[in-house]
C-alpha cells in the first residue's frame, strides 16, 4: 500500500464550481498533514496545513479524519487560477515530507 | 518574501560525471532538505540536514549522494558518477527551527532540472 494515495484525476470543472479532493495515508503514526499546490514544472508551494478540527482559508477547507486516515480538501467557487496539481503531504516521523502523487485540477471558463 | 535560491536552473551532464547542485536557504532557517521529482512522478524525499549533519535520509540517498554546508549560506547536493535515472528535478527546501517543519511546512526553491545524457 502506498504511503499517501490520491485520486490522480484530472478533475475538469467550470469556473465557480465546488470540487473536493481526497487522500488516504497508510501510517497511523503520521503526525502532520498538509496540502501543497504544484504548477506545471514548478516547485511545490504550501497551500495549507491540516488540523484535526478542520480549518479554512478563504475558499479552501481542509479536513482530517485520523481514525480513517483520511484527508480532504474542498475548493469553493473555483477560479481559473486554481488550475494546478494538488499534493497531499504527511510527516510520519522526523521532518521528512511524504508526498502523494497529486490530483490534477483544470478549471475552465 | 524570503526565497530559497537554487542554481543552476538546468544542468546537462554526461553519464558518469559528477554534478553539484547549489542552494541558498532562507537565512534564519535551520532545517535544510533535498527532494527530487522524476518527470511525471511524485516528489521524493532524499535527505534532511540540521545542526551541520544529516538528520534523516531515504533509501534513494545512497553512497552516490552527499550533502554539504560549506559556509554559512550555501547548501549543496553532490551526485557522483551520474546515471541516466538520476535525471529529475531536484528541489532544495528549508524550514524554521522551532516546530517549523511540522507546523509551517517548508519553503521550496524553484529547482534544478538535471538531465543526464
Amino acid at each position: 500500500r502506498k504511503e499517501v494515495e490520491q485520486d490522480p484525476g484530472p478533475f475538469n470543472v467550470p469556473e465557480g464550481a465546488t470540487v473536493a479532493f481526497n487522500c488516504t495515508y497508510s501510517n497511523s503514526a503520521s503526525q502532520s498533514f498538509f496540502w501543497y499546490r504544484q504548477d506545471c514544472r514548478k516547485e511545490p508551494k504550501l497551500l495549507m496545513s491540516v488540523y484535526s478540527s478542520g480549518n479554512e482559508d478563504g475558499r479552501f477547507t481542509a479536513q482530517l479524519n485520523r481514525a480513517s486516515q483520511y484527508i480532504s480538501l474542498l475548493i469553493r467557487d473555483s477560479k481559473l487560477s486554481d488550475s494546478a496539481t494538488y499534493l497531499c503531504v504527511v510527516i510520519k516521523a522526523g521532518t521528512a515530507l511524504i508526498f502523494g502523487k497529486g490530483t490534477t485540477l483544470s478549471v475552465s471558463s | 518574501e524570503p526565497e530559497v535560491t537554487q542554481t543552476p536552473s538546468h544542468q546537462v551532464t554526461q553519464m558518469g560525471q559528477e554534478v553539484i547542485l547549489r542552494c541558498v536557504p532562507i537565512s534564519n532557517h535551520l532545517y535544510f532538505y533535498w527532494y527530487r521529482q522524476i518527470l511525471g512522478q511524485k516528489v521524493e524525499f532524499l535527505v534532511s540536514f540540521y545542526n551541520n549533519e544529516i538528520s534523516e535520509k531515504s533509501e534513494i540517498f545512497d553512497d552516490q549522494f552527499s550533502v554539504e554546508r560549506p559556509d554559512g549560506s550555501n547548501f549543496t547536493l553532490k551526485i557522483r558518477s551520474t546515471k541516466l535515472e538520476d535525471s529529475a528535478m531536484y528541489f532544495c527546501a528549508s524550514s524554521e527551527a522551532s516546530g517549523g517543519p511540522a507546523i509551517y511546512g517548508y519553503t521550496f526553491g524553484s529547482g534544478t532540472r538535471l538531465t543526464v545524457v
Side-chain angles (χ1 to χ4, degrees):
Chain A
R1 185 179 171 187
K2 294 177 185 171
E3 291 190 279
V4 179
E5 287 203 70
Q6 296 182 247
D7 180 345
F11 284 62
N12 299 304
V13 304
E15 275 186 291
T18 295
V19 62
F21 303 137
N22 303 319
C23 166
T24 57
Y25 59 95
S26 62
N27 192 319
S28 60
S30 296
Q31 303 167 353
S32 303
F33 310 89
F34 307 90
W35 284 101
Y36 275 73
R37 169 192 169 128
Q38 187 174 32
D39 294 291
C40 188
R41 293 178 179 260
K42 302 281 191 180
E43 73 274 22
K45 291 189 176 176
L46 179 64
L47 183 65
M48 58 197 302
S49 301
V50 187
Y51 304 116
S52 297
S53 54
N55 48 301
E56 191 173 303
D57 183 2
R59 297 181 294 108
F60 299 85
T61 301
Q63 297 277 351
L64 168 65
N65 184 322
R66 284 186 183 268
S68 303
Q69 296 177 205
Y70 171 93
I71 306 163
S72 66
L73 177 67
L74 184 77
I75 304 175
R76 290 181 298 277
D77 189 23
S78 299
K79 313 289 186 194
L80 293 175
S81 57
D82 293 334
S83 297
T85 297
Y86 290 83
L87 308 175
C88 178
V89 184
V90 307
I91 296 178
K92 60 178 182 179
T95 64
L97 297 181
I98 309 299
F99 284 80
K101 199 172 176 185
T103 299
T104 300
L105 173 65
S106 177
V107 182
S108 56
S109 58
Chain B
E1 188 176 322
E3 286 184 346
V4 174
T5 304
Q6 289 187 243
T7 54
S9 57
H10 190 187
Q11 178 145 7
V12 181
T13 189
Q14 296 238 327
M15 195 167 52
Q17 296 295 304
E18 176 182 284
V19 295
I20 297 176
L21 310 184
R22 292 182 166 79
C23 171
V24 179
I26 294 173
S27 61
N28 65 339
H29 284 188
L30 296 180
Y31 286 91
F32 312 117
Y33 305 87
W34 284 102
Y35 284 76
R36 79 171 186 190
Q37 187 174 30
I38 295 170
L39 188 64
Q41 298 190 24
K42 66 179 182 177
V43 178
E44 299 174 292
F45 169 71
L46 292 178
V47 65
S48 62
F49 195 84
Y50 174 71
N51 202 26
N52 285 317
E53 61 183 22
I54 290 173
S55 50
E56 296 172 77
K57 60 182 181 178
S58 71
E59 299 110 8
I60 303 168
F61 193 87
D62 59 20
D63 293 341
Q64 184 195 7
F65 295 90
S66 61
V67 290
E68 195 176 37
R69 189 155 162 82
D71 51 45
S73 59
N74 290 286
F75 180 51
T76 62
L77 174 69
K78 182 189 289 186
I79 309 175
R80 286 181 282 276
S81 188
T82 49
K83 305 189 281 277
L84 295 176
E85 53 265 37
D86 294 327
S87 295
M89 182 74 94
Y90 288 81
F91 293 109
C92 174
S94 67
S95 184
E96 298 182 43
S98 52
I103 296 173
Y104 304 113
Y106 302 1
T107 300
F108 282 83
S110 57
T112 294
R113 182 168 301 281
L114 177 66
T115 303
V116 182
V117 296

